[in-house]
Each structure stands twice: as C-alpha cells, then as structure tokens.
Amino acid sequence: MRIVLVGPPGAGKGTQAAYLAKNLSIPHISTGDLFRANISQGTDLGKQARAYMDAGQLVPDEVTIGMAKDRMSQPDAVNGFLLDGFPRNVGQAEALDVMLKDEGVKLDAVLDLEVPEDEVVKRIAGRRICRSDSAHVFHVTYNPPKTEGVCDACGGELYQRDDDSEETVRTRLEVYHTQTEPIIDYYRAQGLVVTISALGKVTEVTDRAMKALKSDEG
C-alpha cells in the first residue's frame, strides 16, 4: 500500500506510522529522517537543505520533494510506503501526484488522524522532560512522576521544553491549519481520505487505522 499519514502535531503520527508500517510491511518515510539522512550523508540535497537551515530559512519545497523522490525510488519502497510529514502542503501533494504518475502507480489512501485541538494542547503542553536524560519523558496527566518535577528514573529535574508551551503549540496548530490541513480537502476530492479518531490507547488507534485501511482497500 502507498499511504500518506496526516494529522495535527500531537496526534501521534510518528508512533502510529511505526506500528502501521510494521503491520503492513512497508517502509516508514518521515520528513525528519529524510533530512537527517541526507545531511549526515552529505548528499547534494542535504548540502542545499543545510545551507538554508544554517541561514535560518525554510527549506524550499523542491529540495524536500527531491529527497522524497529519491527515497521512494529505493528497492524497499517499490511495493509501497507510508509517508509521514510529506506532503506538507498542496504544492508538495501535487508534486507527489506527478511523481507517482510517472512511475505508473498511485496512492491507496490518505489516513487522517483526527484529534480535538484542546486535546492536542493537553498532550503536548503536559509533557515534561528530564534534564539529566532526555529519554525520560513524563506527562502531568497521562504519566505523572511520583514526585512533581522529579524524574522517577534518575532524580533529575523535569522541565517543559519551549516547543511544548501552550503558546507555541497553538502557533504550531495555526501553521498546520494554514499550510497542511488543505491537503486533506485536496485528497478528499480524489476519494482517498480515511479519517479516524486518534483518541485512546496507542494499540486502539492502530487497530482502528488498520480496519479503516483494509475497509478502504476492499
């Protein structure tokens, strides 16, 4: 299957992408991984991306599209893939359509993870990270430490990242609504969108997604 995964920040896209890709035996292709791989390997596209990033500028669509095209041409993606974070806007979605058409294939589904905005804010703004070991992550509601502000594992101080503040989260949501959400209507016009609730346990959401994808495939 060839799937695009969309949803607001805090919807659990990365977690669901990993589970779904494993269940469907297709590679999980995330924008973050594409950038890290190209930059660390020193590819031409990676060098271009790095130059823009070092200058504090947004990486142009054509660079991101080039990275995605190269990754989707790899042998493990011949029979399908799950895209996470790409396309990020309608322009990228249109470019993806052209890419796939050139290869004689098409998308099977666009999985839209739906989460109420207040829940997104609650999920992200409630995160607390250990200063001593950032692998230790807690949540004031869903996974609170035994002692407020103290890491259960090492006793380090727990803090809220600047990116996780409510103000920043709401700004990220606004960017999502403005730039990325329009691709849902773009794909809905093609009859590709499958919307599921991303509320509940991780396994519940994965089961919900698998059933929706199989139903859509059928």
Side-chain angles (χ1 to χ4, degrees), residues 37 45 49-50 77 89 102 113 123 127 145 153 159 166 168 194 200 204 212 218:
L45 289 168
R50 186 64 179 265
N89 55 50
D102 287 345
L113 300 182
R123 286 182 180 186
R127 283 196 299 225
Y159 76 105
E166 180 173 342
T168 302
V194 179
E204 292 173 345

PDB file of all heavy atoms in Angstrom, residues 37 45 49-50 77 89 102 113 123 127 145 153 159 166 168 194 200 204 212 218:
ATOM      1  N   ALA A  37      19.151  12.000   7.169  1.00  0.00           N
ATOM      2  CA  ALA A  37      19.943  11.086   6.342  1.00  0.00           C
ATOM      3  C   ALA A  37      20.715  11.845   5.273  1.00  0.00           C
ATOM      4  O   ALA A  37      21.911  11.608   5.062  1.00  0.00           O
ATOM      5  CB  ALA A  37      19.027  10.040   5.698  1.00  0.00           C
ATOM      6  N   LEU A  45      21.426  17.290  -2.067  1.00  0.00           N
ATOM      7  CA  LEU A  45      20.191  17.819  -1.479  1.00  0.00           C
ATOM      8  C   LEU A  45      20.396  18.141  -0.002  1.00  0.00           C
ATOM      9  O   LEU A  45      19.862  19.126   0.515  1.00  0.00           O
ATOM     10  CB  LEU A  45      19.047  16.812  -1.657  1.00  0.00           C
ATOM     11  CG  LEU A  45      18.520  16.650  -3.083  1.00  0.00           C
ATOM     12  CD1 LEU A  45      17.605  15.432  -3.191  1.00  0.00           C
ATOM     13  CD2 LEU A  45      17.773  17.913  -3.529  1.00  0.00           C
ATOM     14  N   ALA A  49      19.862  21.725   1.780  1.00  0.00           N
ATOM     15  CA  ALA A  49      18.992  21.878   2.951  1.00  0.00           C
ATOM     16  C   ALA A  49      19.754  22.507   4.109  1.00  0.00           C
ATOM     17  O   ALA A  49      19.255  23.413   4.786  1.00  0.00           O
ATOM     18  CB  ALA A  49      18.421  20.524   3.360  1.00  0.00           C
ATOM     19  N   ARG A  50      20.976  22.033   4.331  1.00  0.00           N
ATOM     20  CA  ARG A  50      21.792  22.529   5.440  1.00  0.00           C
ATOM     21  C   ARG A  50      22.077  24.023   5.298  1.00  0.00           C
ATOM     22  O   ARG A  50      22.035  24.787   6.278  1.00  0.00           O
ATOM     23  CB  ARG A  50      23.109  21.745   5.501  1.00  0.00           C
ATOM     24  CG  ARG A  50      23.994  22.065   6.696  1.00  0.00           C
ATOM     25  CD  ARG A  50      23.293  21.670   7.984  1.00  0.00           C
ATOM     26  NE  ARG A  50      24.109  21.941   9.140  1.00  0.00           N
ATOM     27  CZ  ARG A  50      24.907  21.039   9.722  1.00  0.00           C
ATOM     28  NH1 ARG A  50      25.001  19.829   9.207  1.00  0.00           N
ATOM     29  NH2 ARG A  50      25.580  21.342  10.792  1.00  0.00           N
ATOM     30  N   ALA A  77      10.917   0.393  -1.178  1.00  0.00           N
ATOM     31  CA  ALA A  77       9.668   1.150  -1.320  1.00  0.00           C
ATOM     32  C   ALA A  77       8.928   0.834  -2.620  1.00  0.00           C
ATOM     33  O   ALA A  77       7.906   1.448  -2.922  1.00  0.00           O
ATOM     34  CB  ALA A  77       9.958   2.649  -1.244  1.00  0.00           C
ATOM     35  N   ASN A  89       2.182  20.452   2.165  1.00  0.00           N
ATOM     36  CA  ASN A  89       1.286  21.472   1.618  1.00  0.00           C
ATOM     37  C   ASN A  89       0.756  20.999   0.266  1.00  0.00           C
ATOM     38  O   ASN A  89       1.187  19.963  -0.252  1.00  0.00           O
ATOM     39  CB  ASN A  89       2.005  22.825   1.499  1.00  0.00           C
ATOM     40  CG  ASN A  89       3.294  22.733   0.682  1.00  0.00           C
ATOM     41  OD1 ASN A  89       3.283  22.197  -0.421  1.00  0.00           O
ATOM     42  ND2 ASN A  89       4.384  23.265   1.211  1.00  0.00           N
ATOM     43  N   ASP A 102       4.295   9.282 -12.939  1.00  0.00           N
ATOM     44  CA  ASP A 102       5.451   8.972 -13.778  1.00  0.00           C
ATOM     45  C   ASP A 102       5.900   7.526 -13.583  1.00  0.00           C
ATOM     46  O   ASP A 102       6.454   6.901 -14.502  1.00  0.00           O
ATOM     47  CB  ASP A 102       6.626   9.907 -13.459  1.00  0.00           C
ATOM     48  CG  ASP A 102       6.395  11.322 -13.978  1.00  0.00           C
ATOM     49  OD1 ASP A 102       5.487  11.502 -14.805  1.00  0.00           O
ATOM     50  OD2 ASP A 102       7.125  12.240 -13.539  1.00  0.00           O
ATOM     51  N   LEU A 113      -5.551  11.451  10.947  1.00  0.00           N
ATOM     52  CA  LEU A 113      -5.707  11.235  12.386  1.00  0.00           C
ATOM     53  C   LEU A 113      -6.360  12.467  12.992  1.00  0.00           C
ATOM     54  O   LEU A 113      -5.770  13.546  13.003  1.00  0.00           O
ATOM     55  CB  LEU A 113      -4.352  10.978  13.050  1.00  0.00           C
ATOM     56  CG  LEU A 113      -3.560   9.762  12.560  1.00  0.00           C
ATOM     57  CD1 LEU A 113      -2.265   9.626  13.350  1.00  0.00           C
ATOM     58  CD2 LEU A 113      -4.386   8.488  12.686  1.00  0.00           C
ATOM     59  N   ARG A 123      -2.001  17.256  25.407  1.00  0.00           N
ATOM     60  CA  ARG A 123      -0.974  16.226  25.200  1.00  0.00           C
ATOM     61  C   ARG A 123       0.433  16.812  25.178  1.00  0.00           C
ATOM     62  O   ARG A 123       1.342  16.304  25.825  1.00  0.00           O
ATOM     63  CB  ARG A 123      -1.214  15.488  23.871  1.00  0.00           C
ATOM     64  CG  ARG A 123      -2.380  14.525  23.880  1.00  0.00           C
ATOM     65  CD  ARG A 123      -2.468  13.821  22.528  1.00  0.00           C
ATOM     66  NE  ARG A 123      -3.583  12.873  22.493  1.00  0.00           N
ATOM     67  CZ  ARG A 123      -3.825  12.041  21.473  1.00  0.00           C
ATOM     68  NH1 ARG A 123      -3.026  12.062  20.407  1.00  0.00           N
ATOM     69  NH2 ARG A 123      -4.848  11.219  21.516  1.00  0.00           N
ATOM     70  N   ARG A 127       3.763  17.608  28.594  1.00  0.00           N
ATOM     71  CA  ARG A 127       5.000  16.818  28.580  1.00  0.00           C
ATOM     72  C   ARG A 127       6.063  17.448  29.467  1.00  0.00           C
ATOM     73  O   ARG A 127       6.229  18.663  29.496  1.00  0.00           O
ATOM     74  CB  ARG A 127       5.546  16.686  27.155  1.00  0.00           C
ATOM     75  CG  ARG A 127       4.791  15.677  26.319  1.00  0.00           C
ATOM     76  CD  ARG A 127       5.551  15.280  25.070  1.00  0.00           C
ATOM     77  NE  ARG A 127       5.807  16.387  24.163  1.00  0.00           N
ATOM     78  CZ  ARG A 127       5.622  16.297  22.848  1.00  0.00           C
ATOM     79  NH1 ARG A 127       5.163  15.189  22.303  1.00  0.00           N
ATOM     80  NH2 ARG A 127       5.898  17.333  22.073  1.00  0.00           N
ATOM     81  N   PRO A 145       5.134  11.851  37.201  1.00  0.00           N
ATOM     82  CA  PRO A 145       6.190  11.300  38.057  1.00  0.00           C
ATOM     83  C   PRO A 145       5.642  11.116  39.474  1.00  0.00           C
ATOM     84  O   PRO A 145       4.647  11.732  39.844  1.00  0.00           O
ATOM     85  CB  PRO A 145       7.270  12.376  38.007  1.00  0.00           C
ATOM     86  CG  PRO A 145       6.497  13.642  37.786  1.00  0.00           C
ATOM     87  CD  PRO A 145       5.366  13.256  36.860  1.00  0.00           C
ATOM     88  N   ALA A 153      13.319   7.957  37.310  1.00  0.00           N
ATOM     89  CA  ALA A 153      14.430   7.076  36.960  1.00  0.00           C
ATOM     90  C   ALA A 153      15.766   7.495  37.569  1.00  0.00           C
ATOM     91  O   ALA A 153      16.537   6.658  38.037  1.00  0.00           O
ATOM     92  CB  ALA A 153      14.562   6.978  35.442  1.00  0.00           C
ATOM     93  N   TYR A 159      11.465  19.339  33.209  1.00  0.00           N
ATOM     94  CA  TYR A 159      11.141  20.677  32.718  1.00  0.00           C
ATOM     95  C   TYR A 159      10.276  20.590  31.472  1.00  0.00           C
ATOM     96  O   TYR A 159      10.166  19.533  30.835  1.00  0.00           O
ATOM     97  CB  TYR A 159      12.420  21.468  32.423  1.00  0.00           C
ATOM     98  CG  TYR A 159      13.125  21.059  31.149  1.00  0.00           C
ATOM     99  CD1 TYR A 159      13.063  21.856  30.004  1.00  0.00           C
ATOM    100  CD2 TYR A 159      13.847  19.858  31.078  1.00  0.00           C
ATOM    101  CE1 TYR A 159      13.702  21.484  28.829  1.00  0.00           C
ATOM    102  CE2 TYR A 159      14.488  19.480  29.904  1.00  0.00           C
ATOM    103  CZ  TYR A 159      14.416  20.286  28.785  1.00  0.00           C
ATOM    104  OH  TYR A 159      15.035  19.911  27.624  1.00  0.00           O
ATOM    105  N   GLU A 166       2.113  26.070  25.832  1.00  0.00           N
ATOM    106  CA  GLU A 166       0.795  26.177  25.200  1.00  0.00           C
ATOM    107  C   GLU A 166       0.803  27.205  24.068  1.00  0.00           C
ATOM    108  O   GLU A 166       0.213  26.971  23.001  1.00  0.00           O
ATOM    109  CB  GLU A 166      -0.265  26.559  26.238  1.00  0.00           C
ATOM    110  CG  GLU A 166      -1.663  26.672  25.622  1.00  0.00           C
ATOM    111  CD  GLU A 166      -2.765  26.870  26.645  1.00  0.00           C
ATOM    112  OE1 GLU A 166      -2.533  26.588  27.843  1.00  0.00           O
ATOM    113  OE2 GLU A 166      -3.861  27.295  26.239  1.00  0.00           O
ATOM    114  N   THR A 168       3.286  28.077  22.110  1.00  0.00           N
ATOM    115  CA  THR A 168       3.983  27.525  20.943  1.00  0.00           C
ATOM    116  C   THR A 168       3.138  26.457  20.257  1.00  0.00           C
ATOM    117  O   THR A 168       3.079  26.389  19.026  1.00  0.00           O
ATOM    118  CB  THR A 168       5.339  26.912  21.366  1.00  0.00           C
ATOM    119  OG1 THR A 168       6.121  27.915  22.010  1.00  0.00           O
ATOM    120  CG2 THR A 168       6.095  26.377  20.161  1.00  0.00           C
ATOM    121  N   VAL A 194      -9.256   8.768   4.504  1.00  0.00           N
ATOM    122  CA  VAL A 194      -9.875   7.908   5.513  1.00  0.00           C
ATOM    123  C   VAL A 194      -9.603   8.571   6.856  1.00  0.00           C
ATOM    124  O   VAL A 194      -8.449   8.694   7.266  1.00  0.00           O
ATOM    125  CB  VAL A 194      -9.264   6.488   5.506  1.00  0.00           C
ATOM    126  CG1 VAL A 194      -9.916   5.631   6.579  1.00  0.00           C
ATOM    127  CG2 VAL A 194      -9.409   5.839   4.144  1.00  0.00           C
ATOM    128  N   GLY A 200      -7.535   7.673  22.538  1.00  0.00           N
ATOM    129  CA  GLY A 200      -7.486   6.324  23.114  1.00  0.00           C
ATOM    130  C   GLY A 200      -6.063   5.807  23.187  1.00  0.00           C
ATOM    131  O   GLY A 200      -5.101   6.518  22.904  1.00  0.00           O
ATOM    132  N   GLU A 204      -5.251   0.849  20.382  1.00  0.00           N
ATOM    133  CA  GLU A 204      -6.627   1.045  19.907  1.00  0.00           C
ATOM    134  C   GLU A 204      -6.654   1.863  18.627  1.00  0.00           C
ATOM    135  O   GLU A 204      -7.401   1.558  17.693  1.00  0.00           O
ATOM    136  CB  GLU A 204      -7.460   1.746  20.994  1.00  0.00           C
ATOM    137  CG  GLU A 204      -7.713   0.902  22.228  1.00  0.00           C
ATOM    138  CD  GLU A 204      -8.402   1.681  23.343  1.00  0.00           C
ATOM    139  OE1 GLU A 204      -8.441   2.931  23.284  1.00  0.00           O
ATOM    140  OE2 GLU A 204      -8.900   1.027  24.286  1.00  0.00           O
ATOM    141  N   ALA A 212      -9.732   0.553   9.150  1.00  0.00           N
ATOM    142  CA  ALA A 212     -10.176   1.587   8.184  1.00  0.00           C
ATOM    143  C   ALA A 212      -9.455   1.424   6.851  1.00  0.00           C
ATOM    144  O   ALA A 212     -10.063   1.547   5.787  1.00  0.00           O
ATOM    145  CB  ALA A 212      -9.928   2.969   8.769  1.00  0.00           C
ATOM    146  N   GLY A 218     -10.727  -2.584   0.455  1.00  0.00           N
ATOM    147  CA  GLY A 218     -11.730  -3.501  -0.073  1.00  0.00           C
ATOM    148  C   GLY A 218     -12.770  -2.764  -0.885  1.00  0.00           C
ATOM    149  O   GLY A 218     -13.357  -3.322  -1.786  1.00  0.00           O
TER     150      GLY A 218
END
